[in-house]
Structure formats: structure tokens, C-alpha cells
Amino acid sequence: MKSFVKENGYGILLCLVIAIPCWFLGTLVPIVGSPVFGILAGMVIALLLKNMAPFKSGISFTSKKILQTAVVLLGFGLNLNVVMQTGKQSLPIIISTITTSLVVAFILHKALKVPGKISTLIGVGSSICGGSAIAATAPVIDADDEDVAQAISVIFLFNVIAALIFPTMGGLLGFDTTSGESFGIFAGTAVNDTSSVTATASTWDSLYGLGTQTLDKAVTVKLTRTLAIIPITLVLALARAKKEKSSSNSFSFRRAFPMFILWFALASLFTTICTGVGVDPAVFTPLKTLSKFFIVMAMTAIGLNTDIVKLVKNGARPIALGFGCWCGITAVSLIMQSVMGLW
């Protein structure tokens, strides 16, 4: 224990100290979100720190192990019964948008020559749940911190654009303004990150005096999308393990079935069982909050490990790929709602 603290303590403490103000900034400006503040603060402080050596090990621990712990704790926010009961209506849309994003990401990865790991992270982050999906996928595909930072920055850009323009666009497209259901489904499927989904849906509620109708629907749809983390990461892990086997004639069961994803699934199942027998869902709120804070800490660590100059220099093609994914998801969400008679 003493050796662990000696080796990692300074780096973990640095991430914690930076993450705390970023957490509060995120609550004040939800359209941006705490993880983005964390990653930006980390990149700026990395420029100012002359000697990173004492912090390196702890920063690496935070960006990997604490990030995986955050994904596990995320499972305590998922009551599978509630998600399936209220989210099944949106399931065809979710499957269609996820498929679209991954296909577009693959095509543009080839066309624009965007590195494979960045393309995967942007495709998964765009289609599932932004930062949380990127956090879950990065260890599975062995993406480095600069890959994660690049993907998060792209997701952030289109989150902000969506939160700003979607409520106005929804009005122009003729979404029902007497109910939050149709626009809630649109926000829940076409906006990437939870904070931006919340901001977009809350704006619609405020514009048309709907209380929390849109927000409730959008968040439920978003939770349904979050469950896609499990099959997506397992498929990616199997693909990586198969590739490793072909190059070294060995198959890594651990890589094929990453344990933190298994614990995430078990946490969701545990929450579902407990609430099913009468446990108050509020019991799990501290764990959900801790999950969000750990993600901020991990994003801070990733920022500290990222070369901001290189990130800006290499940003054009990933942004173009993210734009393609975003446009594809938005269009397919609208088309599917129209076909299903929801809009």
C-alpha cells in the first residue's frame, strides 16, 4: 500500500485537485460538461508543469484504472426493467443510428485516412453515449490518451452545436409542442453525451412549458443507448483478440472479455434486482455521482497526457469524420421517427 501511494499518490492527487473545480464548472455550464472542462484544464496545466515525472505513474493509473472503475459504477444508474419498458419504443431508432454511425465512421476512416483507433472512438462515442462510451471502448482497443482526447474534443464540438440548434430545428420541422415525447426521442437518439441531451431536452421543455416531459423521455432513451456499450465493446474485444491470435497464435480471453464491462453488466443487473424487490433507487445515486466524478478525474488525466499542439494540428480530419457521423445519426433518427409515425 505504501509503495502504491508513493508511486501513484502525487499523480492521483493532481488529477483530483484539478477535477474538483471542473466538476462544479460542469454543473454551471451543462452544455459543455465537466469531462470537457477536465480534459481542457489538464492540457493547459500540462503546458505549465515543467517536471511531470513525479506525477506520471498516478496520471496513468487515473486515466486507465479509475476510468474503468467509472464505467463499472455507471451500471448502478441502469435499471434494466425501466429502460426496456420505456425505451423499447425507441429501440429500432437506436439500432439504426448506431449502425449508421459505425458504418459512416468506417467509410470515412478509409476515405479520409483517419487513424483506426480514433475513428472507432468517434464512431462509438457518436452512436452510443459520448464520453462514457469512449471511456469504455478505449481500454478495449488499447487507444492511447491522445486518441481519447481527440475523440472527446470532436464529440464535444457536435454536442454543443446540437444543444444550440436542435430545439430551434425541432420547431421548424414541426415536432409536437404539446408533448415532449417525439422531441425527447429525437434528442435522446441524435445527441451524443448525457449533459448535452439534458441541455437540449430541457430547452424544449422550457420553450413550450412541458415541465420535464421531454427531459424524462430523452434521458430514458439515452440510458437505453448506454446498454449498447456491452455488445459493442465485446465485439471490438473479440476482433482485437482474433487479430492478436493471428499474429502470435495465442488467444487472450481477458482481452476478449474485458472484466470491467462484465462488472458494468453485473452492476446493472444488481440495480435491477434491488429496485425490483422494493429498494429505493435513490440508494444508488451516490454511486452514479461517483461514476461521473471519476470520469472527470480520468479525463483530467488524459488531458495531462495530451499534447495540445498535436491535437489541434491533427484535428481537421477527425472533425470531418465526426461531422459525417453526426449528420448520419441526425438524418436517420428523423427518418425512422417519420416511418414509425412518432413525428
Side-chain angles (χ1 to χ4, degrees), residues 149-168:
Q150 190 83 70
I152 289 285
S153 65
V154 170
I155 296 297
F156 159 68
L157 173 62
F158 295 109
N159 278 340
V160 172
I161 294 172
L164 291 174
I165 72 169
F166 275 9
T168 301

Side-chain angles (χ1 to χ4, degrees), residues 140-315:
V140 175
I141 64 172
D142 198 27
D144 62 30
D145 287 348
E146 289 191 351
D147 294 333
V148 174
Q150 190 83 70
I152 289 285
S153 65
V154 170
I155 296 297
F156 159 68
L157 173 62
F158 295 109
N159 278 340
V160 172
I161 294 172
L164 291 174
I165 72 169
F166 275 9
T168 301
M169 189 174 82
L172 294 173
L173 289 172
F175 275 98
D176 185 1
T177 58
T178 62
S179 165
E181 183 163 317
S182 57
F183 189 81
I185 293 174
F186 175 59
T189 53
V191 184
N192 302 329
D193 202 67
T194 302
S195 58
S196 297
V197 169
T198 300
T200 306
S202 297
T203 299
W204 186 265
D205 280 331
S206 298
L207 285 172
Y208 301 105
L210 298 174
T212 62
Q213 285 185 42
T214 313
L215 178 60
D216 293 344
K217 189 67 177 181
V219 168
T220 302
V221 172
K222 183 68 170 56
L223 290 175
T224 308
R225 284 171 68 190
T226 301
L227 287 175
I229 286 176
I230 298 171
I232 290 292
T233 51
L234 290 179
V235 167
L236 290 171
L238 284 167
R240 182 182 173 194
K242 184 178 179 181
K243 184 178 179 182
E244 289 179 350
K245 182 182 179 182
S246 64
S247 61
S248 63
N249 292 320
S250 63
F251 183 84
S252 172
F253 182 83
R254 184 179 178 83
R255 288 195 185 279
F257 299 96
M259 290 304 295
F260 74 96
I261 294 296
L262 175 61
W263 289 115
F264 164 79
L266 290 175
S268 304
L269 184 61
F270 179 75
T271 302
T272 304
I273 293 170
C274 288
T275 52
V277 297
V279 175
D280 187 346
V283 169
F284 299 103
T285 299
L287 293 175
K288 290 156 56 180
T289 303
L290 184 61
S291 167
K292 294 175 183 177
F293 182 74
F294 275 177
I295 286 178
V296 180
M297 278 188 67
M299 291 303 121
T300 300
I302 286 166
L304 288 165
N305 270 341
T306 300
D307 183 342
I308 191 171
V309 175
K310 184 178 177 182
L311 187 72
V312 173
K313 183 180 178 182
N314 297 334

